[in-house]
Amino acid sequence: MSLPLEGLSAIVTGAGRGLGRAEALELAGLGASVVVNDFGQPGRDGSGEASAAPAEEVAAEIRAAGGQAVAHTGDVADHEQARELVQSAVETYGKLDILVNNAGILRDRMIFSMSETEWDSVIHVHLKGHFNTTHFAAAHWRERSKATGGPVYGRIVNTSSEAFLAGSAGQPNYAAAKGGIVGLTTSTALALAKYGVTANAICPRARTRMTEDVFAGFAEPSEGRLDPLAPEHVSPLVGYLASPAAARVNGQLLVVHGGMVAVVERPRVAAKFDSAKEAFTFDELDEALSPYYADRPSNETFAAAEVLGLKRG
Protein backbone atom coordinates (compact mmCIF):
# COMPACT_ATOMS: atom_id res chain seq x y z
CA MET A 1 0.00 0.00 0.00
CA SER A 2 1.46 3.35 -1.04
CA LEU A 3 1.83 6.23 1.38
CA PRO A 4 -0.07 9.52 0.80
CA LEU A 5 3.06 11.53 -0.01
CA GLU A 6 5.07 8.81 -1.72
CA GLY A 7 7.03 10.19 -4.66
CA LEU A 8 6.69 13.77 -3.48
CA SER A 9 9.41 16.08 -2.21
CA ALA A 10 9.11 18.69 0.52
CA ILE A 11 10.90 21.58 2.16
CA VAL A 12 10.26 22.33 5.83
CA THR A 13 11.85 25.51 7.16
CA GLY A 14 12.78 25.92 10.81
CA ALA A 15 12.76 22.14 10.99
CA GLY A 16 15.62 21.61 13.41
CA ARG A 17 13.47 21.85 16.51
CA GLY A 18 9.90 22.04 17.81
CA LEU A 19 7.05 22.30 15.33
CA GLY A 20 9.26 22.21 12.25
CA ARG A 21 10.93 19.03 13.39
CA ALA A 22 7.57 17.35 14.05
CA GLU A 23 6.31 18.47 10.64
CA ALA A 24 9.40 17.17 8.83
CA LEU A 25 9.08 13.80 10.57
CA GLU A 26 5.37 13.67 9.72
CA LEU A 27 5.91 14.35 6.03
CA ALA A 28 8.71 11.80 5.89
CA GLY A 29 6.51 9.25 7.65
CA LEU A 30 3.86 9.82 4.99
CA GLY A 31 6.40 9.05 2.28
CA ALA A 32 7.82 12.43 1.26
CA SER A 33 11.49 13.10 0.64
CA VAL A 34 12.39 16.07 2.80
CA VAL A 35 14.81 18.97 2.76
CA VAL A 36 15.22 19.85 6.43
CA ASN A 37 16.02 23.55 6.64
CA ASP A 38 17.23 25.28 9.78
CA PHE A 39 19.64 28.17 10.24
CA GLY A 40 20.57 26.65 13.56
CA GLN A 41 20.91 29.68 15.82
CA PRO A 42 20.42 28.62 19.44
CA GLY A 43 18.55 31.70 20.68
CA ARG A 44 14.83 31.89 20.06
CA ASP A 45 15.42 35.58 19.36
CA GLY A 46 17.70 34.66 16.47
CA SER A 47 20.85 35.19 18.49
CA GLY A 48 23.92 32.99 18.67
CA GLU A 49 26.15 31.39 16.11
CA ALA A 50 24.44 29.46 13.32
CA SER A 51 24.95 25.69 13.41
CA ALA A 52 24.31 22.85 11.00
CA ALA A 53 23.61 20.46 13.88
CA PRO A 54 19.82 20.87 14.31
CA ALA A 55 19.03 20.34 10.61
CA GLU A 56 21.56 17.54 10.26
CA GLU A 57 20.19 15.71 13.31
CA VAL A 58 16.60 15.76 12.06
CA ALA A 59 17.66 14.66 8.57
CA ALA A 60 19.65 11.81 10.13
CA GLU A 61 16.63 10.84 12.24
CA ILE A 62 14.47 10.62 9.11
CA ARG A 63 17.06 8.52 7.27
CA ALA A 64 17.47 6.21 10.28
CA ALA A 65 13.72 5.54 10.11
CA GLY A 66 14.03 4.53 6.45
CA GLY A 67 13.09 7.87 4.87
CA GLN A 68 14.92 10.24 2.57
CA ALA A 69 16.17 13.57 3.86
CA VAL A 70 18.94 16.10 3.38
CA ALA A 71 19.83 19.08 5.53
CA HIS A 72 19.99 22.70 4.44
CA THR A 73 21.28 25.40 6.77
CA GLY A 74 20.49 28.55 4.85
CA ASP A 75 18.70 31.60 6.24
CA VAL A 76 15.26 31.86 4.60
CA ALA A 77 15.14 35.58 5.40
CA ASP A 78 17.97 36.02 2.89
CA HIS A 79 16.54 36.12 -0.64
CA GLU A 80 19.48 34.38 -2.30
CA GLN A 81 19.72 31.67 0.35
CA ALA A 82 15.99 31.00 -0.05
CA ARG A 83 16.56 30.57 -3.78
CA GLU A 84 19.34 28.10 -3.03
CA LEU A 85 17.02 26.19 -0.69
CA VAL A 86 14.38 25.69 -3.37
CA GLN A 87 17.04 24.85 -5.92
CA SER A 88 18.50 22.31 -3.51
CA ALA A 89 15.19 20.45 -3.38
CA VAL A 90 14.87 20.50 -7.17
CA GLU A 91 18.41 19.30 -7.71
CA THR A 92 18.23 16.61 -5.03
CA TYR A 93 14.79 15.18 -5.79
CA GLY A 94 14.12 16.36 -9.35
CA LYS A 95 11.31 18.73 -8.35
CA LEU A 96 9.64 20.43 -5.41
CA ASP A 97 6.08 19.52 -4.47
CA ILE A 98 5.52 20.76 -0.91
CA LEU A 99 6.69 23.87 0.94
CA VAL A 100 6.10 24.20 4.68
CA ASN A 101 7.13 27.60 6.03
CA ASN A 102 7.76 27.46 9.76
CA ALA A 103 11.00 29.33 10.52
CA GLY A 104 10.74 32.23 12.93
CA ILE A 105 12.15 34.13 15.89
CA LEU A 106 10.73 36.09 18.83
CA ARG A 107 11.78 39.50 20.11
CA ASP A 108 8.95 40.39 22.45
CA ARG A 109 8.42 43.89 23.77
CA MET A 110 5.48 46.22 24.41
CA ILE A 111 4.83 48.62 21.54
CA PHE A 112 6.06 51.63 23.54
CA SER A 113 9.34 49.88 24.36
CA MET A 114 10.07 48.06 21.09
CA SER A 115 13.09 49.17 19.10
CA GLU A 116 13.18 49.49 15.34
CA THR A 117 15.61 46.57 15.19
CA GLU A 118 13.29 44.34 17.24
CA TRP A 119 10.44 45.19 14.90
CA ASP A 120 12.42 44.75 11.69
CA SER A 121 14.10 41.49 12.66
CA VAL A 122 10.84 39.64 13.40
CA ILE A 123 9.11 40.94 10.27
CA HIS A 124 12.25 40.03 8.31
CA VAL A 125 12.42 36.39 9.41
CA HIS A 126 8.71 35.57 9.55
CA LEU A 127 7.07 37.58 6.79
CA LYS A 128 9.96 38.10 4.38
CA GLY A 129 11.14 34.54 5.03
CA HIS A 130 7.72 33.22 4.00
CA PHE A 131 7.76 35.46 0.92
CA ASN A 132 11.25 34.43 -0.15
CA THR A 133 10.66 30.69 -0.22
CA THR A 134 7.14 31.10 -1.63
CA HIS A 135 8.45 33.30 -4.44
CA PHE A 136 10.98 30.75 -5.66
CA ALA A 137 8.68 27.77 -5.16
CA ALA A 138 5.91 29.57 -7.10
CA ALA A 139 8.29 30.35 -9.95
CA HIS A 140 9.31 26.68 -10.06
CA TRP A 141 5.70 25.49 -10.26
CA ARG A 142 4.76 28.09 -12.87
CA GLU A 143 7.67 27.05 -15.08
CA ARG A 144 6.75 23.39 -14.73
CA SER A 145 3.11 24.14 -15.55
CA LYS A 146 4.06 26.12 -18.64
CA ALA A 147 6.39 23.33 -19.76
CA THR A 148 3.73 20.63 -19.41
CA GLY A 149 0.80 22.74 -20.53
CA GLY A 150 -1.28 21.85 -17.48
CA PRO A 151 -1.51 21.95 -13.72
CA VAL A 152 1.26 20.57 -11.52
CA TYR A 153 1.33 19.33 -7.93
CA GLY A 154 2.12 22.04 -5.42
CA ARG A 155 1.28 22.57 -1.76
CA ILE A 156 2.19 25.49 0.51
CA VAL A 157 1.52 25.37 4.25
CA ASN A 158 2.33 28.63 6.02
CA THR A 159 2.52 29.28 9.74
CA SER A 160 0.45 32.09 11.22
CA SER A 161 -0.56 32.44 14.86
CA GLU A 162 -3.45 33.10 17.19
CA ALA A 163 -1.45 36.18 18.21
CA PHE A 164 -2.77 37.64 14.96
CA LEU A 165 -6.34 36.50 15.60
CA ALA A 166 -6.71 37.60 19.22
CA GLY A 167 -3.88 40.03 19.73
CA SER A 168 -0.83 39.68 21.93
CA ALA A 169 0.08 42.77 23.92
CA GLY A 170 3.79 42.07 24.14
CA GLN A 171 4.21 40.91 20.54
CA PRO A 172 3.25 43.70 18.13
CA ASN A 173 5.99 42.66 15.69
CA TYR A 174 5.07 38.96 15.82
CA ALA A 175 1.32 39.59 15.59
CA ALA A 176 1.82 41.89 12.61
CA ALA A 177 4.08 39.40 10.84
CA LYS A 178 1.61 36.58 11.39
CA GLY A 179 -1.26 38.70 10.08
CA GLY A 180 0.83 39.52 7.04
CA ILE A 181 1.43 35.83 6.46
CA VAL A 182 -2.34 35.25 6.23
CA GLY A 183 -2.58 37.98 3.60
CA LEU A 184 0.36 36.48 1.72
CA THR A 185 -1.29 33.06 1.86
CA THR A 186 -4.66 34.14 0.47
CA SER A 187 -3.02 36.16 -2.29
CA THR A 188 -0.77 33.24 -3.20
CA ALA A 189 -3.71 30.85 -3.19
CA LEU A 190 -5.54 32.97 -5.76
CA ALA A 191 -2.45 33.49 -7.92
CA LEU A 192 -1.36 29.84 -8.08
CA ALA A 193 -4.67 27.98 -8.21
CA LYS A 194 -4.63 27.83 -12.01
CA TYR A 195 -1.29 26.02 -11.85
CA GLY A 196 -2.65 23.31 -9.54
CA VAL A 197 -1.03 24.75 -6.41
CA THR A 198 -2.79 25.33 -3.09
CA ALA A 199 -1.70 27.61 -0.25
CA ASN A 200 -3.08 27.44 3.27
CA ALA A 201 -2.06 28.74 6.69
CA ILE A 202 -2.26 27.22 10.14
CA CYS A 203 -2.35 28.79 13.59
CA PRO A 204 -0.68 26.12 15.72
CA ARG A 205 -0.67 26.05 19.50
CA ALA A 206 2.25 24.03 20.82
CA ARG A 207 4.72 23.93 23.69
CA THR A 208 8.12 24.55 22.09
CA ARG A 209 11.30 26.51 22.73
CA MET A 210 9.61 29.50 21.08
CA THR A 211 6.54 29.39 23.34
CA GLU A 212 7.94 28.23 26.67
CA ASP A 213 7.02 31.55 28.31
CA VAL A 214 3.56 31.70 26.73
CA PHE A 215 2.55 28.31 28.08
CA ALA A 216 4.41 28.43 31.38
CA GLY A 217 1.92 27.41 34.06
CA PHE A 218 -0.56 25.77 31.70
CA ALA A 219 -1.67 22.24 32.43
CA GLU A 220 1.04 19.62 32.02
CA PRO A 221 0.12 16.13 30.78
CA SER A 222 -0.52 13.33 33.21
CA GLU A 223 1.97 10.48 33.14
CA GLY A 224 1.75 8.33 30.05
CA ARG A 225 -0.37 10.84 28.11
CA LEU A 226 0.64 13.05 25.22
CA ASP A 227 0.96 16.71 26.13
CA PRO A 228 -2.12 18.55 24.77
CA LEU A 229 0.33 21.17 23.57
CA ALA A 230 2.74 18.72 21.92
CA PRO A 231 3.82 19.60 18.34
CA GLU A 232 2.67 16.11 17.35
CA HIS A 233 -0.91 17.38 17.58
CA VAL A 234 -0.14 19.91 14.84
CA SER A 235 1.95 17.93 12.36
CA PRO A 236 -0.83 15.59 11.12
CA LEU A 237 -2.78 18.60 9.79
CA VAL A 238 0.32 19.73 7.92
CA GLY A 239 0.60 16.24 6.43
CA TYR A 240 -3.02 16.36 5.34
CA LEU A 241 -2.76 19.83 3.78
CA ALA A 242 0.34 18.68 1.91
CA SER A 243 -1.44 15.63 0.49
CA PRO A 244 -3.57 14.98 -2.60
CA ALA A 245 -6.56 14.58 -0.26
CA ALA A 246 -6.53 18.35 0.36
CA ALA A 247 -6.75 19.35 -3.30
CA ARG A 248 -9.94 21.36 -2.65
CA VAL A 249 -8.55 23.14 0.41
CA ASN A 250 -7.12 26.47 -0.71
CA GLY A 251 -6.69 29.90 0.83
CA GLN A 252 -7.82 28.64 4.23
CA LEU A 253 -6.78 29.46 7.79
CA LEU A 254 -6.99 26.67 10.37
CA VAL A 255 -6.32 26.71 14.10
CA VAL A 256 -4.87 23.44 15.40
CA HIS A 257 -3.89 22.09 18.80
CA GLY A 258 -4.50 19.20 21.19
CA GLY A 259 -6.72 17.05 18.98
CA MET A 260 -8.74 20.02 17.65
CA VAL A 261 -8.86 21.68 14.23
CA ALA A 262 -10.95 24.82 13.71
CA VAL A 263 -11.62 26.36 10.29
CA VAL A 264 -11.53 30.15 10.59
CA GLU A 265 -13.98 32.14 8.50
CA ARG A 266 -12.91 35.27 6.73
CA PRO A 267 -13.97 38.47 8.55
CA ARG A 268 -17.67 39.19 8.38
CA VAL A 269 -19.57 42.45 8.90
CA ALA A 270 -20.89 42.51 12.48
CA ALA A 271 -22.99 45.66 12.14
CA LYS A 272 -23.75 48.29 9.49
CA PHE A 273 -24.84 51.90 9.81
CA ASP A 274 -25.95 54.26 7.01
CA SER A 275 -25.79 58.04 7.04
CA ALA A 276 -29.03 59.99 6.83
CA LYS A 277 -27.52 62.34 4.27
CA GLU A 278 -24.61 62.12 1.81
CA ALA A 279 -21.98 61.92 4.53
CA PHE A 280 -21.93 61.23 8.25
CA THR A 281 -21.71 64.00 10.78
CA PHE A 282 -19.84 63.62 14.05
CA ASP A 283 -23.09 63.70 16.04
CA GLU A 284 -24.70 61.05 13.82
CA LEU A 285 -21.74 58.71 14.25
CA ASP A 286 -21.80 59.32 18.00
CA GLU A 287 -25.49 58.43 18.13
CA ALA A 288 -24.99 55.27 16.07
CA LEU A 289 -21.67 53.86 17.27
CA SER A 290 -21.41 54.85 20.91
CA PRO A 291 -24.52 52.88 22.01
CA TYR A 292 -23.41 49.92 19.91
CA TYR A 293 -20.04 49.71 21.65
CA ALA A 294 -21.52 50.52 25.03
CA ASP A 295 -23.44 47.25 24.86
CA ARG A 296 -20.36 45.23 24.00
CA PRO A 297 -17.67 43.94 26.38
CA SER A 298 -14.74 46.27 26.89
CA ASN A 299 -11.43 45.48 25.23
CA GLU A 300 -10.04 44.37 28.56
CA THR A 301 -12.25 41.29 28.52
CA PHE A 302 -10.62 40.09 25.32
CA ALA A 303 -7.48 38.83 27.02
CA ALA A 304 -5.75 36.29 24.82
CA ALA A 305 -6.20 33.45 27.28
CA GLU A 306 -9.98 33.93 27.30
CA VAL A 307 -10.35 34.35 23.56
CA LEU A 308 -8.22 31.31 22.84
CA GLY A 309 -9.87 29.14 25.48
CA LEU A 310 -6.63 28.47 27.34
CA LYS A 311 -6.91 27.21 30.90
CA ARG A 312 -4.11 27.25 33.40
CA GLY A 313 -3.34 24.10 35.36
Side-chain angles (χ1 to χ4, degrees):
M1 182 177 178
S2 63
L3 296 169
L5 303 184
E6 191 171 321
L8 301 178
S9 63
I11 289 171
V12 183
T13 72
R17 306 176 178 92
L19 274 173
R21 172 183 173 275
E23 291 162 352
L25 294 174
E26 178 75 17
L27 297 186
L30 293 174
S33 300
V34 183
V35 178
V36 178
N37 165 263
D38 200 288
F39 196 38
Q41 290 176 307
R44 64 177 184 168
D45 62 350
S47 63
E49 187 175 348
S51 170
E56 293 283 5
E57 288 170 5
V58 175
E61 187 176 356
I62 290 172
R63 292 193 296 268
Q68 294 188 60
V70 295
H72 184 277
T73 58
D75 179 4
V76 295
D78 181 281
H79 200 61
E80 179 59 22
Q81 292 183 53
R83 184 195 67 78
E84 293 171 357
L85 170 60
V86 172
Q87 189 61 33
S88 172
V90 174
E91 291 177 353
T92 303
Y93 300 122
K95 58 184 172 56
L96 173 65
D97 302 297
I98 300 159
L99 171 64
V100 179
N101 284 310
N102 176 74
I105 62 171
L106 290 177
R107 292 192 179 179
D108 296 350
R109 193 87 65 185
M110 300 295 282
I111 187 65
F112 43 77
S113 301
M114 180 165 288
S115 69
E116 182 181 15
T117 298
E118 288 166 337
W119 171 270
D120 287 347
S121 61
V122 170
I123 299 295
H124 188 65
V125 175
H126 285 274
L127 186 53
K128 188 184 179 187
H130 272 62
F131 161 75
N132 284 342
T133 54
T134 297
H135 167 75
F136 291 110
H140 168 68
W141 288 320
R142 181 171 179 264
E143 289 175 8
R144 282 174 53 195
S145 178
K146 291 176 70 172
T148 61
V152 298
Y153 190 97
R155 298 286 188 271
I156 299 172
V157 183
N158 288 331
T159 306
S160 182
S161 170
E162 290 170 298
F164 146 71
L165 287 174
S168 182
Q171 297 182 305
N173 48 5
Y174 182 75
K178 292 306 189 180
I181 285 168
V182 174
L184 172 65
T185 302
T186 54
S187 175
T188 301
L190 290 172
L192 300 186
K194 65 181 179 180
Y195 301 117
V197 179
T198 67
N200 296 286
I202 63 170
C203 293
R205 193 187 302 173
R207 198 190 310 271
T208 68
R209 184 176 60 111
M210 286 270 289
T211 61
E212 58 188 4
D213 293 343
V214 176
F215 296 122
F218 286 91
E220 296 284 347
S222 57
E223 187 175 351
R225 294 180 61 86
L226 182 65
D227 185 350
L229 293 170
E232 287 75 17
H233 285 297
V234 175
S235 54
L237 177 61
V238 174
Y240 167 76
L241 293 173
S243 77
R248 294 177 60 84
V249 185
N250 195 28
Q252 299 296 299
L253 177 64
L254 302 99
V255 176
V256 54
H257 63 88
M260 186 281 294
V261 172
V263 179
V264 179
E265 288 187 332
R266 297 193 181 195
R268 295 188 297 171
V269 175
K272 181 176 178 291
F273 304 92
D274 296 310
S275 62
K277 296 183 179 180
E278 185 176 6
F280 277 107
T281 65
F282 174 87
D283 289 339
E284 191 179 6
L285 286 171
D286 183 28
E287 291 175 4
L289 294 177
S290 294
Y292 172 74
Y293 283 106
D295 292 336
R296 297 173 65 83
S298 70
N299 288 339
E300 291 180 353
T301 65
F302 288 101
E306 295 180 19
V307 172
L308 305 181
L310 297 177
K311 300 185 183 299
R312 292 188 180 275

